[in-house]
């Protein structure tokens, strides 16, 4: 699928009415509404981030970020599905060996929805032709409607961990058909209720080697975009940053719309007429815009370097991850302010403000944008460490 610049964002924007009308359904079902999933496939959005051989458009980082902001602005769960399903299928399509790609993608006309947990919580005993995989994973985002489930694992040779070098264990990702996975659910949470982020496990399941790929792969077997040569970590980081920005933007927009008609008890002045509100809106809107620009700058700078043939250095990776952490922190502060000034309108169940506040305080608990990431990046900048593979 080839698209003009900005077309992928348009695919998401065209879903605004449907997502708004089905957001309550997704929360009630605890997984994304089938109506929304069906439209994501019908429009081409679900596969848009894939490499072209897997039916995608290979969008730039700017297009990916703006698409995720749009999706999260519409609804936090919808946006989270975008940062779960899209990178999962992107990585599998880019890095699976040819036999695995044919089994997973080609055999299904590239109509493949994938979610799961990439952290290596499983162990794969090496056997002839592949691995015997066992393990359990929590918060498998987007698995509620996924035909394939990703599961990170550590390969084991005769009971010993396989090492990739420099004291770093080999970390692989298995791609599993849904019927080989046991779901234990566990998705009873405060926010992001509509994401179907189930817990799951596998017990001594054989996974052929061609349905596995390295977690930190950066040499794509398919796809010509710089993103394909940068690996899953930057794409995932861009997604987390954009998601937080999108949810925060929805709250800033909603409280701005509310301000003209919002009156506090015993106060004849509207919220919009108060200087303190005006100052707060200016400050938080400016902070949001600055965070967005930082994210775009960090990711497009790295993208341009890789496109020109340069290595994706530890410093470039650190810059991207710090931008994601900073954007998340800024977005959370914007959301907190919007929730406070909205007063009782922000606590009524069913309002977008109420749902977005729950969503952002759930999504920003993710380890991928924790303070440890910022510390690792600072240590690279300071020369304390040369690299941190997880960045």
């Amino acid at each position: 699928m080839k698209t003009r610049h900005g077309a992928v964002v348009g695919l998401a924007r065209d879903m605004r009415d449907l997502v708004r009308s089905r957001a309550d359904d997704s929360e009630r079902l605890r997984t994304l509404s089938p109506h929304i999933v069906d439209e994501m496939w019908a429009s081409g959005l679900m596969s848009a981030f894939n490499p072209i051989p897997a039916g995608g458009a290979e969008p730039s980082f700017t297009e990916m970020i703006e698409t995720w902001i749009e999706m999260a602005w519409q609804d936090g769960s919808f946006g989270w599905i975008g940062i779960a399903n899209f990178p999962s299928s992107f990585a599998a399509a880019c890095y699976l060996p040819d036999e695995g790609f044919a089994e997973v993608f080609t055999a299904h006309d590239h109509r493949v929805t994938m979610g799961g947990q990439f952290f290596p919580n499983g162990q794969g005993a090496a056997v002839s032709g592949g691995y015997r995989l066992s393990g359990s994973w929590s918060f498998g985002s987007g698995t509620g409607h996924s035909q394939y489930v990703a599961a990170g694992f550590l390969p084991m040779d005769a009971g010993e961990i396989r090492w990739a070098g420099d004291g770093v264990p080999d970390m692989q990702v298995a791609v599993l058909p849904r019927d080989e996975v046991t779901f234990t659910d566990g998705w009873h949470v405060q926010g992001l209720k509509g994401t179907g982020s189930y817990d799951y496990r596998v017990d001594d399941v054989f996974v052929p080697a061609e349905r596995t790929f390295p977690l930190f792969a950066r040499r794509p077997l398919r796809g010509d975009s710089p993103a394909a040569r940068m690996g899953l970590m930057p794409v995932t980081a861009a997604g987390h940053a954009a998601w937080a920005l999108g949810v925060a933007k929805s709250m800033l927009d909603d409280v701005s719309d509310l301000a003209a008609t919002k009156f506090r008890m015993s106060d004849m002045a509207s919220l919009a007429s108060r200087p303190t509100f005006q100052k707060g809106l200016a400050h938080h809107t400016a902070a949001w815009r600055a965070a967005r620009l930082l994210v775009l700058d960090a990711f497009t700078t790295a993208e341009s370097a890789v496109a020109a043939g340069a290595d994706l250095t530890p410093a470039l990776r650190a810059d991207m991850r710090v931008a994601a952490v900073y954007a998340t922190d800024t977005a959370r502060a914007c959301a907190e302010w919007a929730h406070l000034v909205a007063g009782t309108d922000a606590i009524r169940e069913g309002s977008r403000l109420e749902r977005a506040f729950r969503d952002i305080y759930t999504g920003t608990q993710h380890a991928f944008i924790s303070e440890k990431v910022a510390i690792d990046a600072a240590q690279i900048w300071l020369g304390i460490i040369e690299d941190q593979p997880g960045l």
Side-chain angles (χ1 to χ4, degrees), residues 192-262:
L192 293 178
K193 293 184 177 183
T195 61
S197 300
Y198 302 151
D199 298 346
Y200 58 98
R201 73 172 194 270
V202 297
D203 301 297
D204 195 34
V205 170
F206 176 71
V207 184
E210 58 266 23
R211 260 200 284 113
T212 67
F213 62 89
L215 175 60
F216 298 135
R218 293 194 199 122
R219 295 180 180 176
L221 300 177
R222 277 149 242 105
D224 295 323
S225 70
R229 302 197 298 277
M230 294 167 68
L232 179 59
M233 297 300 110
V235 174
T236 302
H240 277 277
W243 177 84
L245 289 170
V247 176
K249 182 65 159 56
S250 79
M251 295 188 70
L252 291 174
D253 288 349
D254 285 358
V255 82
S256 296
D257 292 342
L258 174 69
T261 57
K262 175 71 177 179

Side-chain angles (χ1 to χ4, degrees), residues 11-97:
L11 298 178
R13 189 174 295 117
D14 288 344
M15 294 188 63
R16 284 186 175 186
D17 291 342
L18 175 63
V19 170
R20 181 182 288 271
S21 69
R22 295 290 178 178
D24 289 341
D25 291 347
S26 296
E27 290 235 325
R28 176 177 53 81
L29 295 169
R30 296 187 304 112
T31 190
L32 200 63
S33 163
H35 296 85
I36 298 176
V37 175
D38 289 346
E39 182 56 29
M40 291 173 75
W41 275 113
S43 68
L45 179 61
M46 187 69 89
S47 59
F49 285 32
N50 286 357
I52 289 171
E58 300 188 15
S60 67
F61 266 102
T62 296
E63 292 172 298
M64 288 191 281
I65 290 164
E66 297 294 1
T67 299
W68 280 319
I69 289 175
E70 169 64 29
M71 293 175 71
W73 178 88
Q74 293 177 35
D75 175 56
S77 288
F78 181 49
W80 196 266
I81 289 300
I83 72 169
N85 288 154
F86 297 176
S88 297
S89 59
F90 156 85
C94 285
Y95 308 121
L96 277 176

Side-chain angles (χ1 to χ4, degrees), residues 346-383:
I347 65 173
R348 296 188 182 278
E349 289 186 352
S351 72
R352 193 167 76 145
L353 270 169
E354 183 265 343
R355 185 170 61 247
F357 187 72
R358 287 189 287 107
D359 287 345
I360 203 159
Y361 270 89
T362 299
T364 57
Q365 293 285 355
H366 202 286
F368 207 82
I369 33 79
S370 69
E371 67 174 11
K372 182 182 184 305
V373 176
I375 292 168
D376 288 343
Q379 289 182 347
I380 288 174
W381 292 342
L382 292 167

Side-chain angles (χ1 to χ4, degrees), residues 315-348:
L316 287 171
R317 287 167 29 234
D319 289 350
M320 288 186 285
R321 292 298 295 275
V322 165
V325 172
Y326 179 80
T328 300
D329 290 344
T330 300
R332 187 168 48 231
C334 291
E336 186 177 73
W337 174 82
H339 183 269
L340 181 64
V341 297
T344 55
D345 289 85
I347 65 173
R348 296 188 182 278

